Amino acid sequence: MTATLLDGNALAKKLRADVAARAAKLTARGHQPGLAVILVGEDPASQVYVRNKVKACEDNGIYSVFDRFPADLPEAKLLARIAELNADPKVHGILVQLPLPKHIDSHKVLEAIAPEKDVDGFHVANAGALMTGAPLFRPCTPYGCMKMLESIEFPLRGARAVVVGASNIVGKPMAMMLLQAGATVTICNSKTRDLAAHTREADVIVAAVGRRNLITADMVKPGAAVIDVGMNRDDQGKLCGDVDFAAVKEVAGWITPVPGGVGPMTITMLLVNTLEAAERAAG
Ligand code: NAP
């Protein structure tokens, strides 16, 4: 059996067209949606992500402010800039690219963003509200994964889902969204004993660890949906996920490629969150 490809680029294109149309309507009413992106330091991967986010804004009618700061930026200056952006009516979403340099307390920075502009959904108010089912924003990567499952009308109610990885930005919110959709969810971390015993039971596997070939074909139940969040480099320097794609696609029912799967959906959900923030602000 060969799995059906869950094409993140195609779904992202469709969703972005809707974002662009809604952004144009708001702009015509004098409320162009705006996103501020802050990058501190020179991390090469972060520079690429941030550039892609800013470009996606431009391409879809969202105004963007891009602040680049040197790696030795004092924490107080970053907090002061966030305070300015919190007060700026042209800015509806604020994103601070992680990771931040070690001398800056990421928690303090994320908590400084006004919850109604927290388009990454990392503020404790939104993370907490996700637990109770009604956040202002859902974190973009797991939200994108949910949209991909929705796009194939995957029957999550009663399904067994295994999330491999338990970070605050991907694994934990992913598990919460799957749970809210009616799945029975297991969250695995680096201490999990016999990972394969868990994944083999899963109707849906979400791999979000950052280790190439962690999920092999023998770990996947035939017909399962396999969502690969991981972003790694192979020996040739090519981008790859956490899933042994070539082998797993012969077993799975659906599979996301890397690149072209979760990545474009993450940026798309950032646009959606920014647009919705602007729609809320415009009443
Ligand atoms: P992270 O903060 O490093 O978290 C990794 C998680 O994986 C941790 O919970 C860790 O467990 C767990 N883990 C490590 N080894 C494991 C193992 N052998 N078995 C099971 N769990 C294991 O990473 P992250 O920020 O969540 O990102 C995960 C991956 O997704 C990375 O490759 C990242 O680049 C990628 N990513 C992609 C996108 C996208 O748009 N495509 C967005 C965000 C992240 P402990 O909690 O026990 O340490």
Side-chain angles (χ1 to χ4, degrees):
M1 176 180 167
T2 302
T4 302
L5 204 67
L6 271 169
D7 183 344
N9 281 323
L11 182 57
K13 196 172 164 196
K14 216 166 98 183
L15 294 176
R16 286 182 197 197
D18 178 58
V19 167
R22 284 161 63 191
K25 266 194 204 151
L26 272 182
T27 304
R29 287 172 50 204
H31 301 289
Q32 183 179 21
L35 175 70
V37 178
I38 299 177
L39 175 65
V40 185
E42 307 292 330
D43 178 65
S46 293
Q47 291 187 36
V48 174
Y49 301 150
V50 159
R51 229 181 293 130
N52 289 342
K53 288 169 185 174
V54 171
K55 179 165 188 314
C57 285
E58 284 166 5
D59 291 348
N60 294 283
I62 293 175
Y63 156 78
S64 63
V65 181
F66 180 21
D67 284 350
R68 284 182 82 140
F69 293 111
D72 61 356
L73 178 79
E75 184 184 275
K77 286 213 165 146
L78 179 57
L79 294 172
R81 179 59 181 145
I82 291 171
E84 263 173 33
L85 293 167
N86 281 341
D88 185 341
K90 293 206 298 297
V91 170
H92 305 98
I94 302 170
L95 179 154
V96 178
Q97 185 66 41
L98 301 177
L100 286 167
K102 290 212 165 35
H103 69 280
I104 297 179
D105 179 346
S106 305
H107 287 288
K108 208 172 176 183
V109 169
L110 295 178
E111 299 317 302
I113 297 172
E116 66 276 14
K117 295 193 178 188
D118 170 41
V119 283
D120 256 340
F122 297 160
H123 190 288
V124 73
N126 283 312
L130 180 61
M131 299 277 292
T132 53
L136 287 174
F137 304 102
R138 291 173 164 74
C140 302
T141 299
Y143 194 11
C145 296
M146 290 303 288
K147 287 284 172 195
M148 293 180 105
L149 290 167
E150 271 172 32
S151 74
I152 54 168
E153 295 177 14
F154 191 93
L156 282 170
R157 204 180 156 85
R160 297 190 67 165
V162 172
V163 180
V164 187
S167 70
N168 288 336
I169 66 172
V170 188
K172 285 183 202 161
M174 182 78 246
M176 205 47 61
M177 290 180 212
L178 288 163
L179 181 68
Q180 281 165 5
T184 301
V185 184
T186 300
I187 312 175
C188 300
N189 61 18
S190 63
K191 294 96 181 167
T192 298
R193 282 190 222 114
D194 198 357
L195 178 63
H198 293 283
T199 57
R200 265 189 225 117
E201 296 289 314
D203 303 304
V204 180
I205 299 172
V206 180
V209 169
R211 188 183 301 179
R212 176 155 75 98
N213 291 338
L214 178 69
I215 307 297
T216 50
D218 59 317
M219 295 168 74
V220 176
K221 180 160 106 174
V226 179
I227 310 286
D228 192 352
V229 178
M231 286 205 295
N232 312 295
R233 297 274 164 192
D234 69 11
D235 296 335
Q236 283 76 48
K238 259 180 62 191
L239 193 63
C240 63
D242 289 350
V243 174
D244 177 359
F245 182 83
V248 170
K249 77 172 169 34
E250 300 303 324
V251 181
W254 292 270
I255 190 167
T256 64
V258 178
V262 175
M265 288 301 295
T266 294
I267 297 185
T268 301
M269 300 326 292
L270 173 67
L271 301 179
V272 169
N273 280 347
T274 303
L275 174 80
E276 288 180 356
E279 285 176 342
R280 269 197 291 270

